[in-house]
Amino acid sequence: MIMRKILVMGDTEARYHPLHCIFPIHNVLGKEKLTFTNDYDYFTKLNEFDLLICFVDAWIVEDNKENKLITKEQSAALLDYINNGGKILSIHTGMSIQATEGLENVHGAKFLDHPPYCEIVVNVAKGHRLTEGVNDFRINDEPYHFEVYEDFDIFANYEFDGKKVPAAWEKDHGKGKLIYLMPGHDEAVFACEDYLRLIKNCVEYLVTV
């Protein structure tokens, strides 16, 4: 496999989702060149990388004492990156970029809320190119709920109160591509072998598509 350069963006002192939670992806991406950072200025350097894994915790909150904000320059650079063919794997809190002006529509859906942390079963689409070797898996996580406003390829879901909720999807944005994976609140989620396999599949697809 050709060595790829992958930027993993997060926040070391995030209120809810610190960057270290995602460190276990090393276990399945050992052949890839991973750069972990909490420096949002890297949004202006994305052309140096083959893929962005977005795990930022940039929700805009009223006191704004603990959450970093993405600047207009950084937002414009990220949008330019994906519009011109960049690839993004957004995981769990990575959807928080929707709170930044200009990035509201990148995911094709809007985070609404989540019930309390609980056990959920993620059901993966059988025969999908991104779920090869991945079984349905049971985890404890925050079950994010969404308002979906674009058509996209949903390849995993979970059931909540009798309804299916998207848990993973793929979509085009401009000339680029984004995959969103809902699970990822804490390190325990990334200890799930089937979830790590799903992440690996998504990364391998995005760096070669």
Side-chain angles (χ1 to χ4, degrees):
M1 181 184 297
I2 299 173
M3 185 72 75
R4 306 289 183 174
K5 292 182 66 178
I6 299 174
L7 181 68
V8 185
M9 176 78 76
D11 298 281
T12 54
E13 298 182 3
R15 177 177 296 191
Y16 300 116
H17 311 100
L19 181 59
H20 69 79
C21 290
I22 201 174
F23 284 174
I25 65 174
H26 263 306
N27 296 332
V28 290
L29 300 179
K31 293 182 179 180
E32 306 292 349
K33 185 177 180 182
L34 301 177
T35 299
F36 289 86
T37 184
N38 68 343
D39 182 357
Y40 286 8
D41 280 343
Y42 268 88
F43 281 135
T44 65
K45 307 173 186 178
L46 290 174
N47 289 333
E48 300 175 12
F49 297 89
D50 298 293
L51 171 67
L52 167 66
I53 296 180
C54 184
F55 193 68
V56 301
D57 194 74
W59 303 103
I60 295 177
V61 293
E62 289 185 5
D63 59 24
N64 192 31
K65 292 179 180 178
E66 297 181 53
N67 291 56
K68 292 194 307 184
L69 300 183
I70 300 171
T71 68
K72 290 183 178 180
E73 179 185 11
Q74 293 161 352
S75 170
L78 177 56
L79 191 60
D80 184 68
Y81 169 74
I82 192 169
N83 279 337
N84 287 287
K87 311 299 193 307
I88 299 175
L89 173 59
S90 178
I91 298 179
H92 195 63
T93 184
M95 183 171 263
S96 67
I97 64 173
Q98 74 173 47
T100 300
E101 184 177 354
L103 301 177
E104 300 93 341
N105 300 319
V106 170
H107 284 81
K110 179 182 179 181
F111 168 79
L112 297 176
D113 55 33
H114 67 78
Y117 187 86
C118 65
E119 183 179 81
I120 60 175
V121 176
V122 176
N123 298 292
V124 299
K126 309 306 179 186
H128 195 283
R129 65 180 180 278
L130 294 174
T131 63
E132 183 178 354
V134 181
N135 302 303
D136 296 344
F137 54 93
R138 187 182 302 270
I139 54 173
N140 290 302
D141 210 324
E142 296 172 326
Y144 278 15
H145 290 173
F146 311 97
E147 175 187 346
V148 175
Y149 48 80
E150 284 189 27
D151 290 329
F152 43 57
D153 180 13
I154 298 171
F155 56 91
N157 60 62
Y158 71 94
E159 188 170 305
F160 194 88
D161 285 344
K163 297 180 180 179
K164 288 186 177 180
V165 182
W169 63 80
E170 172 195 350
K171 68 176 291 286
D172 295 328
H173 193 91
K175 296 178 181 179
K177 189 174 291 290
L178 177 140
I179 290 177
Y180 179 69
L181 303 178
M182 186 279 291
H185 176 66
D186 54 28
E187 285 181 286
V189 176
F190 294 99
C192 174
E193 291 185 6
D194 281 297
Y195 187 41
L196 286 178
R197 175 67 193 183
L198 183 62
I199 291 172
K200 182 180 181 181
N201 288 354
C202 292
V203 168
E204 291 181 344
Y205 169 70
L206 286 172
V207 298
T208 56
V209 69

